[in-house]
Amino acid sequence: MVADLAHSWLIRSAPVAAAQAAGRPLVALESTIIAHGMPYPENVRTAREVEAIIRDLGAEPAIIALMGGRIRIGLSDDELELLGRSDQVYKVSRRDLPAVLAGGGLGATTVAGTMICAALAGIEVFVTGGIGGVHRGAQETFDISADLQELAKTSVAVVCAGAKSILDIALTLEYLETHGVPVLSCEQDNFAAFYTRDSGFRADFRLDDAAAQARFIRTKWDLGLAGGVVLSTPVPQAAAMACEEIDALTQQALAEAKAQGVTGKAVTPFLLARIKALTGGRSLATNIALVKHNAEVGARLALALAQAGRGAGAA
Ligand code: PSU
Ligand code: MN
């Protein structure tokens, strides 16, 4: 069977296997944010702090990455260190999974790659920083993150602080609507904007309470409506950046990317690194704060989903 074959590629860490056996809720974490989204050692430190936040709330974290020709669900401290330090890590989206698994290299999974692996491992909730989306100027470059197609078909709830401000948020939301991906927001009506709280665009549905979010998601999946759900929550006020500042710096970083001919999967890491340099590291502090906050929201959602019954009678 295809499913059994796929499962033969998975290796769960001992804590993840124990949590699943005990029926404790799991929260998947991506590794591209570790390997390509943040510098060492902040990346590894942040990953450990995010894991602790999730554990303290009663769920089990599972960092997902590719190592030694297997999909690893949960990493040891040494494995996390290797991923965070190495400059030989592939950025793995749907397209790249077979190449890196078959080749046995070190792979960091993007939102799309992590969703695929989380679904295979039976994990329903996944916490990231910001999802990929439709890039500004996509009408010329065709640069639309594979994250959006994955959200259209793979049934995992993705908790994020919106889409990165380097993107065209309006087009990203249009794309998600076209593909039937619900965008939920908690703590505010509008979709979040990663470094800043407000994208200026309304999310589809505001659900502040984890139990209500879980009911929404269960209902979608009960109905056989396969595909992901985006749950946006804004960066905490104290860590948010000023809109005008981030807008100006984003314009500058985008112009530099264009001038230097940066394309394809290098675009997002380039822009994040440039914005970090241009803000003297302040954007990294914001990035860390928003991921930690997302981890809290994700852990609460995982607990609520574990409690939420299935079927119409459960509501
Ligand atoms: N959010 C972050 N940092 C990141 C990313 C998201 O805070 O590094 C990564 C995610 O892995 C996302 C990817 O899937 O950027 C999108 O890349 P692209 O635009 O090339 O699809
Ligand atoms: Mn892209």
Side-chain angles (χ1 to χ4, degrees):
M1 258 175 61
V2 173
D4 290 339
L5 274 179
H7 286 125
S8 72
W9 294 88
L10 297 180
I11 296 180
R12 290 172 174 79
S13 67
V16 166
Q20 271 190 320
R24 276 206 301 130
L26 277 101
V27 175
L29 299 169
E30 66 151 298
S31 41
T32 292
I33 190 170
I34 299 169
H36 304 288
M38 290 184 192
Y40 182 86
E42 287 91 344
N43 56 357
V44 171
R45 194 188 323 136
T46 303
R48 292 213 173 102
E49 287 170 358
V50 164
E51 288 186 312
I53 289 168
I54 292 169
R55 278 202 192 102
D56 285 350
L57 287 167
E60 183 63 30
I63 298 177
I64 293 182
L66 311 184
M67 287 183 184
R70 290 289 182 277
I71 298 170
R72 307 296 303 270
I73 311 291
L75 300 183
S76 69
D77 280 353
D78 287 349
E79 289 162 346
L80 174 58
E81 187 76 17
L82 174 70
L83 192 81
R85 265 178 191 272
S86 171
D87 52 7
Q88 306 282 318
V89 188
Y90 293 94
K91 176 177 163 185
V92 179
S93 190
R94 169 174 279 264
R95 170 193 69 178
D96 317 287
L97 256 174
V100 179
L101 277 182
L106 202 51
T109 48
T110 63
V111 168
T114 308
M115 286 181 79
I116 294 169
C117 300
L120 272 176
I123 303 177
E124 297 180 316
V125 176
F126 160 33
V127 165
T128 183
I131 57 170
V134 180
H135 281 255
R136 300 185 194 184
Q139 58 273 34
E140 274 177 37
T141 61
F142 273 43
D143 191 352
I144 299 174
S145 176
D147 292 352
L148 300 186
Q149 273 300 311
E150 208 57 54
L151 281 161
K153 59 187 160 221
T154 299
S155 300
V156 172
V158 180
V159 181
C160 62
K164 281 171 295 252
S165 51
I166 54 176
L167 302 166
D168 188 320
I169 308 288
L171 293 188
T172 299
L173 291 171
E174 286 291 349
Y175 194 102
L176 290 170
E177 182 193 2
T178 300
H179 291 278
V181 179
V183 177
L184 309 183
S185 179
C186 75
E187 297 171 48
Q188 62 182 22
D189 292 343
N190 281 1
F191 191 51
F194 199 70
Y195 297 122
T196 58
R197 288 169 64 87
D198 184 1
S199 69
F201 298 95
R202 274 183 100 87
D204 302 325
F205 309 101
R206 174 173 176 170
L207 296 173
D208 287 344
D209 174 46
Q213 296 155 8
R215 267 198 307 279
F216 180 104
I217 293 166
R218 267 288 167 258
T219 305
K220 172 173 157 70
W221 292 338
D222 275 355
L223 291 171
L225 301 176
V229 172
V230 174
L231 173 57
S232 152
T233 185
V235 59
Q237 193 87 57
M241 300 191 64
C243 288
E244 310 71 45
E245 180 187 16
I246 205 72
D247 281 349
L249 297 180
T250 301
Q251 294 293 353
Q252 182 179 340
L254 282 165
E256 289 178 12
K258 197 169 179 189
Q260 294 178 36
V262 179
T263 57
K265 68 189 199 175
V267 172
T268 297
F270 176 90
L271 294 174
L272 292 174
R274 279 307 290 151
I275 290 172
K276 181 197 163 226
L278 292 168
T279 58
R282 277 180 299 122
S283 70
L284 178 60
T286 302
N287 200 342
I288 291 170
L290 68 87
V291 175
K292 288 186 184 175
H293 178 248
N294 294 349
E296 283 177 35
V297 172
R300 290 205 181 90
L301 173 61
L303 292 167
L305 269 170
Q307 304 243 303
R310 289 167 203 260

